[in-house]
């Protein structure tokens, strides 16, 4: 085997990294477009109901967007290490690199970036994803990486998650990811049902569905938590090791689950103790709105006030009038 321009011929050039996740961008764009559409009609809502309606809209879209987005994120568990390590097989060249590991529900993402990026006449900037979701074969993806001649640090980390590895991390993460994903899809369905119930003014059952949504979200965290606390093989690079911890998606899911829990409990408690306030929040207390209308004075001298407006009075203010002919 011979060198060609200072590198082995079977190693490809570094993969170009796309600047953002397209799936996440599409989901966020859809929900932001929905929010913008409803904000346009916001001025048509009168009185204090405008603020309550806007808060319900924002919180509802936030929960739905988070539950749907975290299905496809790759930062449920993250780790980073800077190390001096060999770059390629059959080579004694040592490079200084940042190695990052991102674990999601459907696979693992490994990035390798040099310090500096250009070393040993090459651009060291790799981003490789290995999936274990349904319809994907992790071991086949790893074998394809071997055939392409990926850098040794990436192959070393990816090997820890293969089904043939003695670490047995592949089975743990794959099963926990599938269960967590399934519960999150159920949570998304219950969120849709709660939105439908609230729009139909069935407030108590809507609160129950929010509690069920919170329960499913928290169960997905428990599934991932169990695999996170099982013994793992060390990922060692000389004197340093790559250690992982909970990522942004995990904490965002926890916040969303607690938010749904608090909102569901608030609806149920208000429905049993202060039903009038709950109706006011959901713009169902028509009597309050009528009182606000009758509190406004109306004079015949004003052009915007008609005789019909003056003659219409609340039912509790009606009294008998006796008229006599002169």
């Amino acid at each position: 085997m011979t060198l060609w321009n200072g590198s082995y011929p079977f190693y490809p050039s570094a993969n170009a990294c796309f600047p953002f996740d397209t799936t996440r961008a599409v989901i966020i764009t859809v929900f932001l477009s929905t929010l913008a559409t409803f904000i346009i009609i916001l001025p048509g809502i009168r009185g204090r109901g405008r603020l309550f309606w806007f808060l319900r809209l924002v919180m509802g879209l936030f929960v739905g967007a988070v539950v749907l987005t975290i299905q496809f994120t790759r930062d449920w568990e993250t780790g980073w290490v800077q190390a001096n390590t060999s770059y390629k097989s059959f080579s004694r060249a040592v490079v200084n690199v940042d190695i990052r590991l991102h674990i999601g529900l459907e696979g693992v993402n490994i990035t390798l970036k040099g310090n500096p990026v250009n070393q040993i006449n090459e651009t060291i900037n790799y981003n490789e994803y290995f999936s274990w979701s349904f319809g994907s074969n992790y071991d086949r993806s790893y074998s394809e990486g071997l055939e392409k001649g990926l850098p040794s640090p990436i192959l070393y980390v990816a090997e820890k998650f293969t089904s043939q590895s003695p670490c047995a991390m592949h089975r743990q993460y794959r099963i926990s990811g599938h269960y967590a994903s399934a519960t999150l899809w159920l949570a998304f369905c219950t969120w849709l049902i709660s939105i439908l119930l609230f729009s139909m003014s069935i407030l108590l059952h809507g609160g129950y569905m929010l509690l069920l949504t919170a329960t499913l979200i928290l169960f997905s965290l428990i599934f991932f938590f169990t695999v996170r606390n099982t013994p793992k093989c060390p990922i060692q690079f000389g004197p340093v090791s790559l250690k992982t911890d909970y990522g942004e998606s995990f904490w965002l899911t926890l916040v969303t689950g607690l938010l749904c829990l608090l909102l569901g409990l608030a609806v149920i408690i208000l429905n049993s103790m202060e039903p009038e306030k709950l109706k006011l929040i959901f713009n169902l207390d028509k009597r309050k709105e009528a009182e606000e209308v009758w509190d406004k004075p109306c004079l015949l001298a004003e052009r915007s006030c008609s005789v019909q407006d003056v003659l219409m009075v609340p039912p509790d203010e009606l009294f008998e009038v006796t008229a006599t002919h002169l």
Side-chain angles (χ1 to χ4, degrees):
M1 189 172 297
T2 59
L3 292 174
W4 184 75
N5 287 339
S7 64
Y8 290 95
F10 55 83
Y11 288 106
S13 58
N15 293 341
C17 300
F18 203 66
F20 56 86
D21 187 356
T22 54
T23 304
R24 186 187 307 183
V26 169
I27 295 174
I28 294 176
T29 301
V30 171
F31 277 89
L32 287 180
S33 301
T34 305
L35 178 61
T37 302
F38 281 103
I39 288 178
I40 294 176
I41 66 175
L42 185 62
I45 301 176
R46 299 179 180 178
R48 291 175 297 180
R50 180 184 304 173
L51 176 61
F52 292 132
W53 186 85
F54 180 74
L55 292 177
R56 297 199 312 270
L57 173 66
V58 172
M59 287 188 290
L61 290 178
F62 172 78
V63 172
V66 170
V67 174
L68 187 59
T69 304
I70 57 179
Q71 290 275 4
F72 309 100
T73 55
R74 303 173 183 176
D75 54 355
W76 278 71
E77 187 176 345
T78 59
W80 170 84
V81 69
Q82 183 177 358
N84 293 315
T85 180
S86 61
Y87 179 53
K88 298 176 180 179
S89 302
F90 311 108
S91 174
R92 297 180 180 180
V94 176
V95 293
N96 184 269
V97 291
D98 289 337
I99 305 167
R100 297 181 183 273
L101 176 63
H102 301 267
I103 302 174
L105 300 181
E106 297 184 346
V108 58
N109 193 85
I110 307 170
T111 61
L112 181 70
K113 188 173 183 180
N115 292 312
V117 177
N118 295 318
Q119 297 183 52
I120 59 173
N121 297 326
E122 288 195 25
T123 301
I124 306 176
N125 189 11
Y126 285 82
N127 182 15
E128 298 293 332
Y129 180 68
F130 303 90
S131 175
W132 53 56
S133 61
F134 290 111
S136 301
N137 190 321
Y138 186 93
D139 292 342
R140 182 183 301 173
S141 300
Y142 175 74
S143 300
E144 291 175 355
L146 286 173
E147 295 175 0
K148 291 191 299 183
L150 294 178
S152 297
I154 294 180
L155 295 175
Y156 170 68
V157 176
E159 184 183 9
K160 297 290 184 180
F161 295 89
T162 59
S163 59
Q164 304 300 325
S165 173
C167 297
M169 291 194 296
H170 174 81
R171 182 174 180 271
Q172 296 172 2
Y173 277 103
R174 185 172 182 269
I175 294 176
S176 65
H178 287 170
Y179 278 108
S181 178
T183 53
L184 286 174
W185 280 118
L186 289 176
F188 183 74
C189 294
T190 55
W191 168 79
L192 288 176
I193 296 175
S194 68
I195 295 297
L196 179 62
L197 291 174
F198 284 135
S199 64
M200 297 171 61
S201 303
I202 310 176
L203 305 183
L204 182 59
H205 292 82
Y208 288 147
M209 293 309 298
L210 271 182
L211 283 183
L212 181 57
T213 302
T215 303
L216 291 171
I217 293 175
L218 295 178
F219 263 107
S220 69
L221 295 176
I222 294 175
F223 289 135
F224 195 82
F225 175 81
T226 54
V227 67
R228 176 67 178 79
N229 288 272
T230 55
K232 300 177 183 178
C233 292
I235 304 177
Q236 199 75 22
F237 292 93
V240 296
S241 60
L242 195 159
K243 298 181 180 180
T244 59
D245 202 353
Y246 296 118
E248 296 178 0
S249 293
F250 182 90
W251 297 115
L252 183 59
T253 306
L254 178 60
V255 171
T256 306
L258 294 178
L259 177 62
C260 291
L261 180 64
L262 293 176
L263 292 177
L265 290 175
V267 171
I268 295 173
I269 294 173
L270 285 176
N271 184 78
S272 60
M273 300 181 63
E274 298 288 345
E276 298 301 325
K277 290 184 179 180
L278 183 62
K279 291 180 181 180
L280 180 62
I281 293 175
F282 283 87
N283 299 335
L284 299 178
D285 196 348
K286 302 300 182 182
R287 183 174 59 84
K288 294 290 184 181
E289 296 179 1
E291 290 179 359
E292 292 180 1
V293 173
W294 296 120
D295 287 341
K296 297 180 181 179
C298 184
L299 301 177
L300 287 173
E302 298 179 1
R303 294 183 178 179
S304 59
C305 182
S306 63
V307 177
Q308 183 180 1
D309 296 331
V310 177
L311 294 178
M312 293 178 62
V313 295
D316 56 351
E317 296 182 9
L318 291 177
F319 54 88
E320 184 178 357
V321 179
T322 303
T324 59
H325 295 281
L326 295 179

